[in-house]
Amino acid sequence: MCTCITLKNNDFYFGRNLDLDYSFGESVTVTPRSYSFKLKNGTLFKNRYAMIGMATVVDEYPLYAEAVNEAGLGMAGLNFPHHSMYPDPVKDKINITPFEFIPYVLGQAASVKEARELLKDIWLDNIPFSPQLPITVLHFMIADKDEAIVIEHSDNGLLIYDNPVGVMTNNPRFPYHLTNLRNYRHLSPKNTDNRFSSKIELPSYAEGMGAIGLPGDYSSASRFVKAAFGKLNAVSDGSEEGNVTEFFRILDSVAMVKGSVITENDHLDVTTYTCCANATKGIYYYKTYNNISLSAVDMHKEDLDGDKLVSYQLNKELKVYYHN
């Protein structure tokens, strides 16, 4: 359960809600240009581009949930059960595992166009990071200031979809969400004229009635529609403060409140964190479920020519500004 969006207003922004019933030891992590990734296929590669995002660092290896690189490219993995298939490695392809996918792409591609070229040779296989960390079934969004794509893996390889909305959630497959969006084409941020009948007057009685019918539940299909409506109609003055505020407001509208979603195991599914990365400037903002104040890390204040990871533990305790 997650929601990922993009936003362009002067700078380009990329981020998501991470909806889960537990914390996975995540931290804001900067991977510099000279960090060496040792892949499960036995090869070693160094980044062309530094990146910043949320990751679980295990044995000095960043397992990214999402990240942006210094060239302005963003990528996120979202839960996608029952659909993604990761077969055995194959010949004549670059075999990488899902947990290697984000750093592999962001470490080498500066744009979606370049990412598309990389994807032609990639095969996502079923080799886990370790026996304790099995494969996570995901699909992915890759985006820059000009375009976005969604990648879903089947037994026949990568399926790549253009994403004109710049929004992604979870099941079903991505084409369903684009088709389902047509069911809401009548919605408007403005109050609409009476189209019920010319034989009766039905004046509006409140603002916001043009969006009656906008979904409000937490299903992935509904979150896609609501996030798309918020994003495509959002208004900002184009400043950093304005853009970041609107970005978080959009994601807040589809965030999960504790107790509103209970999993099959009777666990509480919540929005463990929300992030917004200014991919143009390399600044990563976040807030957690228990700390709604914003924290930020600027990747360009780190040594991006280095070869060591830099991680910041999350500020999870609420800080209140008292006026008196």
Side-chain angles (χ1 to χ4, degrees), residues 107-162:
Q108 300 179 82
S111 64
V112 172
K113 181 179 179 180
E114 290 185 9
R116 287 181 189 270
E117 290 300 312
L118 283 177
L119 296 176
K120 291 179 180 178
D121 298 318
I122 289 178
W123 180 269
L124 295 183
D125 61 41
N126 56 15
I127 300 176
F129 180 82
S130 69
Q132 295 75 31
L133 293 172
I135 291 291
T136 302
V137 182
L138 304 170
H139 63 167
F140 301 85
M141 181 159 78
I142 305 175
D144 61 21
K145 62 182 179 60
D146 297 316
E147 59 178 324
I149 56 175
V150 168
I151 299 94
E152 297 176 351
H153 202 276
S154 71
D155 54 356
N156 293 319
L158 292 176
L159 303 173
I160 303 173
Y161 304 103
D162 291 331

Side-chain angles (χ1 to χ4, degrees), residues 76-98:
L78 277 67
N79 192 35
F80 196 55
H82 314 304
H83 290 295
S84 279
M85 300 180 65
Y86 303 131
D88 293 332
V90 297
K91 295 181 179 180
D92 303 322
K93 287 283 188 177
I94 299 174
N95 293 280
I96 62 175
T97 70

Side-chain angles (χ1 to χ4, degrees), residues 64-80:
Y64 279 109
E66 83 290 321
V68 298
N69 68 18
E70 61 181 308
L73 185 67
M75 185 171 178
L78 277 67
N79 192 35
F80 196 55

Side-chain angles (χ1 to χ4, degrees), residues 129-277:
F129 180 82
S130 69
Q132 295 75 31
L133 293 172
I135 291 291
T136 302
V137 182
L138 304 170
H139 63 167
F140 301 85
M141 181 159 78
I142 305 175
D144 61 21
K145 62 182 179 60
D146 297 316
E147 59 178 324
I149 56 175
V150 168
I151 299 94
E152 297 176 351
H153 202 276
S154 71
D155 54 356
N156 293 319
L158 292 176
L159 303 173
I160 303 173
Y161 304 103
D162 291 331
N163 184 351
V165 186
V167 172
M168 188 172 79
T169 55
N170 311 102
N171 294 345
R173 294 190 181 278
F174 184 71
Y176 167 86
H177 292 289
L178 292 182
T179 300
N180 182 52
L181 206 57
R182 300 179 189 180
N183 292 323
Y184 301 92
R185 61 188 301 270
H186 61 284
L187 300 185
S188 170
K190 297 181 179 181
N191 283 355
T192 56
D193 295 332
N194 172 28
R195 293 196 292 265
F196 188 85
S197 173
S198 61
K199 299 177 182 179
I200 184 173
E201 289 190 11
L202 295 172
S204 60
Y205 55 81
E207 298 299 331
M209 295 180 66
I212 289 179
L214 183 67
D217 63 88
Y218 297 102
S219 67
S220 54
S222 293
R223 283 184 284 109
F224 187 96
V225 174
K226 192 170 186 180
F229 184 84
K231 174 206 162 165
L232 296 174
N233 290 296
V235 176
S236 170
D237 60 7
S239 67
E240 182 72 353
E241 294 78 7
N243 292 341
V244 171
T245 296
E246 292 308 309
F247 198 99
F248 277 98
R249 290 295 188 186
I250 296 165
L251 288 177
D252 284 344
S253 72
V254 292
M256 294 185 182
V257 178
K258 187 178 292 185
S260 61
V261 178
I262 301 176
T263 70
E264 294 178 354
N265 298 323
D266 286 332
H267 294 168
L268 301 180
D269 209 353
V270 301
T271 300
T272 59
Y273 72 83
T274 301
C275 68
C276 167

